[in-house]
Amino acid sequence: QVQLQESGPGLVKPSETLSLTCTVSGGSISSYYWSWIRQPPGKGLEWIGYIYYSGSTNYNPSLKSRVTMSVDTSKNQFSLKLSSVTAADTAVYYCAREVGVPFYNYYMDVWGKGTTVTVSS
Amino acid sequence: QTVVTQEPSLTVSPGGTVTLTCASSTGEVTSGYYPNWFQQKPGQAPRALIYSTSNKHSWTPARFSGSLLGGKAALTLSGVQPEDEAEYYCLLYYGGARVFGGGTKLTVL
């Protein structure tokens, strides 16, 4: 079955750029939306944004100015960059597959295990 | 800024029934918000339970059901098991944006 695996540095310095990659195995990256979600320690889930396999994106307005997502269909990977990070960006970052059929169904069904990113000097 | 509100905490006895709700600051939650529900246990990633209001994933236990109730999305657990103790999150779709609720901590006691 489809599995997702997040990867990237676990420690990022303040003001630098956080970069994470999600590798999709057991299935194709095509025909799906791919989302990033984060969860600060002891807090709830926050949707960061999604990228469609074709490359179109939609970001959380509260993070939009700092977020960039990209997709590499040849590697079955998609990526997240979050710039100018502060301690408030410390969180577990998850990637998730999203199914979207307009006017019918939208859902996130497969999630990665998450990766912890700490912002600290 | 759209806010999705859930009960912060609920307690239920084993074998009992409990309903969690999910409200939108924009007004009534309808099927057009495609409500999703997730279960998260400590140290684990969220697991999808319900999508598009009431549809179950292939792995969702039969005791979980979703509906619309009083202008909100609702998740009902019938015949609660000890292993259902967890945090539950709803997710609503607002056109291109997605917003998670703050989560409900369900205690089975």
Side-chain angles (χ1 to χ4, degrees):
Chain A
Q1 74 274 20
V2 174
Q3 292 186 318
L4 307 183
Q5 179 68 58
E6 305 89 350
S7 60
L11 181 65
V12 181
K13 289 183 167 54
S15 79
E16 295 189 345
T17 296
L18 177 161
S19 295
L20 296 175
T21 295
C22 183
T23 301
V24 180
S25 60
S28 174
I29 204 167
S30 297
S31 304
Y32 291 99
Y33 296 85
W34 301 94
S35 273
W36 288 96
I37 301 101
R38 70 180 183 179
Q39 186 170 35
K43 296 189 177 180
L45 302 171
E46 180 181 31
W47 177 72
I48 299 171
Y50 73 70
I51 184 163
Y52 194 45
Y53 77 100
S54 62
S56 62
T57 57
N58 202 328
Y59 303 143
N60 185 323
S62 68
L63 299 169
K64 188 174 184 176
S65 63
R66 300 195 289 131
V67 172
T68 304
M69 294 183 186
S70 60
V71 62
D72 187 335
T73 54
S74 66
K75 294 182 178 179
N76 246 23
Q77 293 178 334
F78 60 102
S79 298
L80 166 71
K81 290 188 187 298
L82 181 66
S83 64
S84 304
V85 297
T86 69
D89 295 309
T90 294
V92 176
Y93 285 76
Y94 297 100
C95 57
R97 186 180 77 170
E98 194 168 328
V99 173
V101 181
F103 308 109
Y104 188 58
N105 277 324
Y106 282 92
Y107 56 89
M108 295 180 189
D109 60 347
V110 181
W111 291 60
K113 293 183 178 180
T115 188
T116 299
V117 178
T118 301
V119 178
S120 175
S121 55
Chain B
Q1 179 81 352
T2 302
V3 176
V4 176
T5 302
Q6 301 180 239
E7 297 86 0
S9 64
L10 291 170
T11 300
V12 61
S13 300
T17 297
V18 65
T19 297
L20 290 65
T21 66
C22 175
S24 172
S25 62
T26 60
E28 180 184 4
V29 176
T30 65
S31 59
Y33 288 86
Y34 307 100
N36 279 223
W37 290 92
F38 302 89
Q39 177 193 65
Q40 186 180 36
K41 295 183 178 180
Q44 296 183 14
R47 180 177 74 135
L49 292 174
I50 300 288
Y51 66 95
S52 297
T53 304
S54 59
N55 294 282
K56 298 179 186 182
H57 292 283
S58 58
W59 53 83
T60 303
R63 60 184 181 276
F64 290 87
S65 63
S67 64
L68 296 175
L69 196 63
K72 302 178 185 180
L75 174 70
T76 299
L77 288 71
S78 305
V80 172
Q81 302 297 307
E83 61 264 30
D84 297 333
E85 182 162 296
E87 192 87 20
Y88 291 84
Y89 292 94
C90 66
L91 170 68
L92 299 181
Y93 286 74
Y94 295 84
R98 292 93 166 98
V99 182
F100 284 96
T104 295
K105 180 174 175 55
L106 182 66
T107 300
V108 181
L109 203 57

